[in-house]
Amino acid sequence: MRPPVVRFAPSPTGRIHIGNARTALFNYLFARAGHGRFILRFDDTDAERSREEYAAAIEVDLAWLGIEPSLTVRQSERFPLYAAAAERLKAMGRLYPCFETADELDRRRKRQITRGLPPIYDRAALALTADERAALEAQGRRPHWRFRLEPRIVQWNDLVRGESHIDTASLSDPVLIREDGTWLYTLPSVVDDLDLGVTHVIRGEDHVTNTAVQIELFEALAGPEATPRFGHHNLLTAASGEGLSKRTGALSIGSLREAGVEPLAVAALAVLTGSSASVQPVKSLGELLGLFDIAHTSRHAARFDDHDLAALSAKTLLALDYDSVRDRLSPQDILGHKAEPFWLAVRGNLARFADVVEWWRVVEGEIAPVHEDVEFLHAAREALPAEPWDHQTFAAWTGQLKQATGRKGKALFHPLRLALTGRENGPEMAALLPLIGRARALARLP
Ligand code: GLU
């Protein structure tokens, strides 16, 4: 099998959310599994609603998730291709001009419904003679253009949903070009998929109804061999059951990033919700790939709870080894020989990665020690072992203090933690103490 070529095709009319990330990641992981290519295609034919700043933000969001496209294209730069395809369809008699106004169409639809007929476009425009068309154009009417469906039962073997079919006789001939000459999504998408050699169209199930029309278009323009395979995954819904929307900005990738959620936690939740594997922390997109199987995605709505994200994010941090965070620690000046043991000590105590800065201050900087029980802390100071220190030092020190003072449990440990870290809770003292070091420990004890 030749390597797959997939595309993620957002319209840059808002920020992408975790549901869009699901589509992007399904495509990306699918491409990666087959050593193929992932194309980012901006569906920006709607000049009014599309904005360059959204396109730029989507690129940033994808990069943050770990997705690097092999190629990025913009539909707004590809209009001549669509015009050429439209001309070919016209020459084949598959694209025909229509002059009905929205009102006329509406009235016709209502009449069909009262007669108990399906409200399908009646193709009246196909019956217009050349003279009648010319007369309409002379009145200043401009046509919109419809694709003449065959009609037939269009079948495809969906990567997620299995054998699928739609009877295109039940559909109106779709409008491909509006009266003002602008493109609806249908034709440009097919033309690009053909031009860019897309082998698999993986997208949300809200596009299932477009598929039959698009397959007819693929076949009209390039024959059945060139038609990609389709996979329609279920949509993510919020815990309330509500769909996600670009407009509300809720659960946008940007807002999750700003909230300090780990990108791998977002990716794991986006991909594994409703999959055969349970939602779990992953160390890399490569690991996520091993858990992902598009054929085993549930067909039911995939409901997720964004409250799960905070916990998943913390668990993700705990799973990350030093090598995978080194490049994020060094810009915070967390480097040198202490950096790795530091990371291993604190990674289980981070709600957000940014919290490392506070903990680094505890081992390397100035803190405000809290002296709860000065007499005991004096004794602790006296008993502080000589260096070198290791993971056993804290146990040796507190063991000795326990014997000397009869203290145990919280009464023994809590004053030490407060004095040495200035905090009530945190990573194991056994790991922190050698990182703090004797000089700093002495300075923090009264
Ligand atoms: N621009 C379309 C969307 O965002 C792309 C659909 C497709 O993948 O074909 O829904």
Side-chain angles (χ1 to χ4, degrees):
M1 205 180 81
R2 71 189 160 114
V5 179
V6 299
R7 83 298 193 278
F8 172 57
S11 47
T13 55
R15 301 296 294 267
I16 53 169
H17 54 59
I18 191 162
N20 307 123
R22 179 172 174 84
T23 308
L25 284 158
F26 271 35
N27 276 286
Y28 174 78
L29 295 175
F30 188 84
R32 202 163 141 174
H35 306 286
R37 282 153 47 86
F38 171 96
I39 298 170
L40 172 59
R41 183 184 89 199
F42 286 116
D43 285 3
D44 58 354
T45 55
D46 183 340
E48 228 149 82
R49 292 178 56 231
S50 301
R51 299 237 200 94
E52 191 46 45
E53 72 216 54
Y54 287 132
I58 289 170
E59 286 181 319
V60 169
D61 290 344
L62 292 179
W64 179 71
L65 285 168
I67 297 177
E68 294 292 344
S70 322
L71 175 73
T72 301
V73 297
R74 288 177 161 65
Q75 290 197 319
S76 57
E77 293 168 358
R78 302 168 60 83
F79 288 132
L81 283 176
Y82 314 144
E87 288 313 311
R88 288 183 51 215
L89 291 170
K90 284 179 197 170
M92 290 175 220
R94 298 292 301 269
L95 190 63
Y96 62 97
C98 303
F99 294 86
E100 292 91 348
T101 63
D103 275 352
E104 275 164 3
L105 289 172
D106 202 41
R107 259 179 279 138
R108 255 186 240 173
R109 248 190 319 263
K110 284 186 181 136
R111 255 197 323 259
Q112 285 169 316
I113 292 169
T114 27
R115 288 191 199 142
L117 298 169
I120 296 172
Y121 177 62
D122 62 7
R123 295 183 160 167
L126 264 183
L128 292 175
T129 63
D131 287 349
E132 285 167 327
R133 272 186 218 159
L136 285 162
E137 292 197 33
Q139 289 169 26
R141 306 261 290 245
R142 305 220 18 215
H144 55 274
W145 295 81
R146 287 188 193 260
F147 176 57
R148 189 172 55 74
L149 292 166
E150 262 188 329
R152 61 187 175 98
I153 311 271
V154 174
Q155 288 180 312
W156 74 95
N157 185 3
D158 196 284
L159 294 167
V160 181
R161 301 158 65 93
E163 283 303 334
S164 306
H165 58 87
I166 290 179
D167 182 357
T168 53
S170 67
L171 305 175
S172 293
D173 287 344
V175 176
L176 301 188
I177 310 172
R178 295 188 191 89
E179 208 177 290
D180 63 2
T182 57
W183 301 98
L184 280 109
Y185 142 83
T186 314
L187 179 67
S189 182
V190 168
V191 170
D192 286 335
D193 289 341
L194 283 171
D195 183 59
L196 300 167
V198 168
T199 58
H200 295 80
V201 171
I202 299 170
R203 56 189 177 184
E205 65 186 8
D206 48 337
H207 285 288
V208 168
T209 49
N210 294 328
T211 301
V213 167
Q214 291 188 336
I215 288 177
E216 282 209 23
L217 269 172
F218 276 112
E219 294 189 0
L221 289 168
E225 295 301 305
T227 305
R229 281 203 64 186
F230 290 85
H232 294 91
H233 64 75
N234 57 358
L235 301 180
L236 277 189
T237 65
S240 61
E242 218 177 305
L244 302 168
S245 152
K246 264 193 201 164
R247 273 180 299 277
T248 64
L251 296 165
S252 74
I253 300 304
S255 68
L256 296 173
R257 178 171 62 242
E258 277 150 31
V261 179
E262 280 300 295
L264 283 170
V266 175
L269 194 75
V271 170
L272 297 177
T273 301
S275 79
S276 50
S278 57
V279 175
Q280 56 195 281
V282 293
K283 292 188 182 62
S284 63
L285 289 182
E287 186 183 344
L288 190 55
L289 179 60
L291 298 168
F292 164 79
D293 180 357
I294 190 161
H296 290 109
T297 316
S298 148
R299 293 185 48 180
H300 302 290
R303 210 175 263 228
F304 81 101
D305 191 344
D306 55 310
H307 294 105
D308 296 346
L309 264 178
L312 185 62
S313 191
K315 283 191 211 154
T316 301
L317 287 167
L318 175 60
L320 295 179
D321 55 26
Y322 175 63
D323 282 339
S324 55
V325 291
R326 185 201 302 261
D327 292 346
R328 295 165 72 188
L329 290 170
S330 50
Q332 317 274 0
D333 279 330
I334 301 177
L335 16 87
H337 67 280
K338 269 194 193 176
E340 179 163 12
F342 165 77
W343 172 251
L344 299 178
V346 303
R347 64 182 177 175
N349 283 80
L350 305 173
R352 304 171 323 149
F353 182 82
D355 298 345
V356 289
V357 174
E358 290 304 310
W359 287 112
W360 187 246
R361 207 198 320 279
V362 169
V363 303
E364 258 315 73
E366 297 291 319
I367 58 146
V370 180
H371 295 156
E372 209 181 44
D373 191 334
V374 177
E375 212 175 308
F376 170 63
L377 293 175
H378 279 272
R381 185 190 171 87
E382 292 307 313
L384 201 59
E387 280 179 323
W389 283 2
D390 60 19
H391 219 85
Q392 269 65 55
T393 306
F394 186 71
W397 182 35
T398 51
Q400 203 189 326
L401 280 170
K402 183 177 174 180
Q403 260 186 355
T405 63
R407 287 179 183 242
K408 55 183 187 203
K410 196 172 174 207
L412 175 64
F413 298 116
H414 193 62
L416 298 176
R417 178 179 287 282
L418 274 179
L420 293 174
T421 71
R423 289 154 171 255
E424 296 277 346
N425 312 298
E428 262 191 307
M429 287 303 296
L432 282 182
L433 189 66
L435 293 168
I436 291 171
R438 193 163 197 275
R440 209 169 264 115
L442 282 175
R444 291 175 187 178
L445 292 167

